[in-house]
Amino acid sequence: MESVATPPDLFESEHRALLAGRAAYDAPCADAQHPAGCRQALGDLLAAYERLLRETRRLVRRSDRAELEMNQLNQRLTELADQLHYRATHDPLTGVLNRLAIIEQVNQRFATQGVALIVLDIDHFKQVNDSFGHPTGDRVIRGVVECLQSVVPDIAQIGRVGGEEFTVLLPGHGGPTCEQVAEAAREAIAACDFGLPDGSRVTASFGVSWLPVGGGFDEAYGLADEALYGAKRGGRNRVVCAQPAGHASIP
């Protein structure tokens, strides 16, 4: 079995000086018989102690720097982890949750409570891109999100599920409340001046669904999406609430 090497003693010379000083101190009548030896031992001990203090301070400073650098590194790693998580869960254009993140949030909420889901689509958005270009279209998308953020409750979560399609998660909210929120959002978008070159206004169509605890995103989204297309067929710029089959009406 290979033996493990003993690490060197960083303060071996100080230790030897301490032993010599101790021996001089313990010697009988040391001052009378060996004054020079005692003085030498004391001088060596003082020099060793001074060196020990210098080395200790140096090691402490090095340790402090290493601890500071480690703390800074850990803080940077935490920041990078937060940035990666944000980028993985948020839409880069608008800053709201992306499709996968909003699906996860909806399903998590359904595990403990009923959920209202609003799905909206910007009306005639392709015409905006085709007529004025994608930068203008991006500005409209960001403006729609700002309109949503100005009217939805603090507990709501907004997600972008497609190019010009969004969802608003309203946990624990019943039909009248979520319909009111959708109507407020519709009015905010219709009243907003998006600065389009021809002065035209932007509108959006809304579908609303509600399911009790135990539901899931796919069913809630499917119902809201069906209601959304009902709003599109009905002339756009309106809110339609879904009536879920097999469930009570939206409370």
Side-chain angles (χ1 to χ4, degrees):
M1 181 177 180
E2 184 178 350
S3 61
V4 178
T6 303
D9 185 355
L10 297 178
F11 304 108
E12 182 179 358
S13 61
E14 288 79 8
H15 181 64
R16 288 199 303 267
L18 181 61
L19 291 178
R22 171 61 67 182
Y25 177 81
D26 291 339
C29 302
D31 291 338
Q33 298 179 18
H34 306 287
C38 289
R39 184 176 179 82
Q40 180 64 42
L42 181 58
D44 292 344
L45 182 60
L46 289 172
Y49 185 71
E50 289 173 351
R51 178 181 177 274
L52 178 62
L53 287 178
R54 289 195 303 271
E55 289 299 311
T56 300
R57 292 191 183 102
R58 184 178 64 83
L59 290 173
V60 168
R61 288 194 298 269
R62 179 182 293 179
S63 175
D64 289 344
R65 286 196 301 270
E67 183 178 4
L68 177 60
E69 291 172 357
M70 183 63 69
N71 289 338
Q72 292 174 337
L73 179 60
N74 287 335
Q75 181 178 355
R76 182 57 180 157
L77 288 174
T78 299
E79 292 171 354
L80 288 174
D82 291 342
Q83 291 175 13
L84 288 173
H85 180 263
Y86 183 88
R87 292 179 181 179
T89 56
H90 288 74
D91 172 54
L93 177 63
T94 62
V96 299
L97 295 175
N98 61 25
R99 181 180 179 86
L100 290 178
I102 195 68
I103 290 174
E104 181 179 356
Q105 288 297 317
V106 171
N107 287 330
Q108 286 180 0
R109 294 288 188 173
F110 267 130
T112 58
Q113 59 191 144
V115 167
L117 196 65
I118 299 172
V119 177
L120 63 137
D121 185 87
I122 302 174
D123 295 328
H124 305 297
F125 182 73
K126 187 176 184 300
Q127 293 180 13
V128 174
N129 277 335
D130 291 346
S131 300
F132 311 120
H134 289 281
T136 299
D138 289 346
R139 190 174 72 247
V140 168
I141 287 175
R142 288 192 295 266
V144 166
V145 169
E146 291 172 1
C147 290
L148 294 175
Q149 292 170 332
S150 70
V151 298
V152 300
D154 291 339
I155 195 174
Q157 291 179 290
I158 302 171
R160 185 182 181 192
V161 295
E164 65 272 19
E165 187 173 331
F166 302 88
T167 65
V168 179
L169 162 64
L170 293 167
H173 284 63
T177 301
C178 63
E179 186 175 3
Q180 291 169 8
V181 171
E183 184 60 32
R186 186 198 65 76
E187 292 176 355
I189 294 170
C192 181
D193 182 3
F194 289 89
L196 296 181
D198 63 353
S200 61
R201 295 287 176 167
V202 173
T203 63
S205 300
F206 291 75
V208 179
S209 69
W210 179 89
L211 288 176
V213 61
F217 176 84
D218 289 342
E219 184 179 5
Y221 179 82
L223 290 168
D225 193 52
E226 183 179 350
L228 166 64
Y229 277 96
K232 294 279 189 182
R233 290 191 297 269
R236 294 183 169 83
N237 189 27
R238 64 188 59 208
V239 175
V240 172
C241 291
Q243 296 297 324
H247 295 284
S249 299
I250 298 178

